[in-house]
Amino acid sequence: MEIRRQYVDCAFGQLHLRRAGGGGVPLVCFHMSPYSGLYYEPFMQAMATDRLVVCPDTPGYGGSDMPPETPTMEDYAAAIVDMLDALGLDKVDLLGFHTGSFIALAVADAVPDRVRKLVLPGLPYVDIDGRAKRQEMFAGDRPYFEEEGYIAKRWDAGLKARGGQSDDRFLSLFAESMRNGAGGMNKGFYAVFSYDPDVAIPGIRQPVYVPVPDEMLAENSRLAAGMFQDATLEEWPDLKGDLFDVAAVDVAGRIRKWLDQ
């Protein structure tokens, strides 16, 4: 399956995206921070056999232009709506992982009539006190040059968490995670913890699928799932955090089954 890359204009300049396949209800996928649509390439290969799959780079990440001010989830959603308009997509399904799950929520809230279903593994739900602490944590830049050995620590942490990724795949994603610079890396995280899921989640009217793999936000996802109007929670204890990578074919099959119901 060929993956094509292109740019479209959005509220913050140029937005970079990957797309593959065609037909059916398009699936738009939002990546975790601090990565890009590159994160989903193995999954795209498996999922785009029977529908269009679009994977944008969140503004400020990957190849997308950085917003001039620190963006909110609503800002990210506005950029994605611009992308949907540019691509002529009137009705879509949304998938988001970690940061991407909240971007999906914000898009569904902004244009509810254009969103059919949502798939949201890895919801970063925390209570209001936890959000305040994390806002403070991510308010500044990453200490690439101030903290001795900082990059080495990130490298080691990534190696421990990479699962079954190949060396080349790990290197590609590690490089992509640093592409937004010291000042850009935290912006997606800050937007997550400035967003109020206690208001956003109960307002979602569309059917929501919440798979729960064995990964760091498993319990957060279980808590969030109970707040939706119409959610299907499914435990995936056999899959780890690299589910869109080494398990891409399996995950595509499970998601396809739910979307096509």
Side-chain angles (χ1 to χ4, degrees):
M1 180 61 62
E2 183 182 22
I3 295 175
R4 304 282 297 176
R5 288 176 286 178
Q6 71 181 85
Y7 285 91
V8 298
D9 292 329
C10 75
F12 304 115
Q14 290 188 301
L15 185 82
H16 180 253
L17 63 94
R18 290 166 171 81
R19 60 186 295 168
V25 178
L27 177 64
V28 182
C29 306
F30 306 114
H31 60 84
M32 63 194 300
S33 299
Y35 299 101
S36 70
L38 174 68
Y39 182 81
Y40 283 116
E41 282 197 348
F43 175 74
M44 292 181 76
Q45 294 280 358
M47 196 74 200
T49 56
D50 60 353
R51 71 200 68 212
L52 174 65
V53 181
V54 179
C55 299
D57 298 350
T58 302
Y61 292 91
S64 293
D65 287 341
M66 180 75 72
E69 306 292 338
T70 299
T72 64
M73 280 296 157
E74 291 79 8
D75 291 331
Y76 288 148
I80 297 304
V81 173
D82 288 341
M83 181 198 76
L84 297 180
D85 291 343
L87 297 178
L89 302 181
D90 295 324
K91 182 72 75 171
V92 295
D93 294 326
L94 304 179
L95 183 152
F97 189 52
H98 287 214
T99 304
S101 66
F102 275 15
I103 296 176
L105 289 179
V107 173
D109 180 61
V111 287
D113 293 339
R114 298 177 71 172
V115 177
R116 187 183 69 120
K117 292 184 175 183
L118 298 94
V119 181
L120 305 176
L123 283 152
Y125 175 79
V126 293
D127 63 22
I128 189 169
D129 292 334
R131 294 197 297 273
K133 292 176 183 177
R134 287 165 177 80
Q135 280 184 46
E136 183 177 357
M137 182 188 309
F138 293 115
D141 297 348
R142 288 289 174 103
Y144 284 118
F145 303 100
E146 290 76 24
E147 183 179 318
E148 185 177 356
Y150 179 75
I151 293 178
K153 291 176 186 176
R154 286 200 64 236
W155 175 265
D156 290 342
L159 284 176
K160 290 177 183 177
R162 75 167 175 166
Q165 289 173 338
S166 69
D167 289 347
D168 284 344
R169 175 72 172 159
F170 177 81
L171 283 169
S172 295
L173 289 173
F174 187 83
E176 195 78 344
S177 76
M178 299 178 64
R179 187 174 172 184
N180 42 43
M185 180 174 281
N186 283 345
K187 291 188 184 299
F189 298 107
Y190 188 82
V192 164
F193 298 113
S194 302
Y195 190 59
D196 189 350
D198 294 316
V199 172
I201 291 175
I204 298 298
R205 304 194 305 266
Q206 298 90 340
V208 179
Y209 184 37
V210 184
V212 183
D214 180 14
E215 60 101 27
M216 63 186 298
L217 294 181
E219 187 55 34
N220 307 69
S221 295
R222 294 185 188 103
L223 290 171
M227 300 167 60
F228 287 103
Q229 295 183 34
D230 180 8
T232 300
L233 185 146
E234 184 171 50
E235 298 287 343
W236 287 1
D238 56 320
L239 297 180
K240 304 292 185 180
D242 56 359
L243 68 164
F244 293 107
D245 201 318
V246 298
V249 173
D250 185 9
V251 169
R254 298 184 194 195
I255 290 175
R256 179 182 289 109
K257 181 179 179 181
W258 184 82
L259 288 174
D260 290 350
Q261 289 176 356

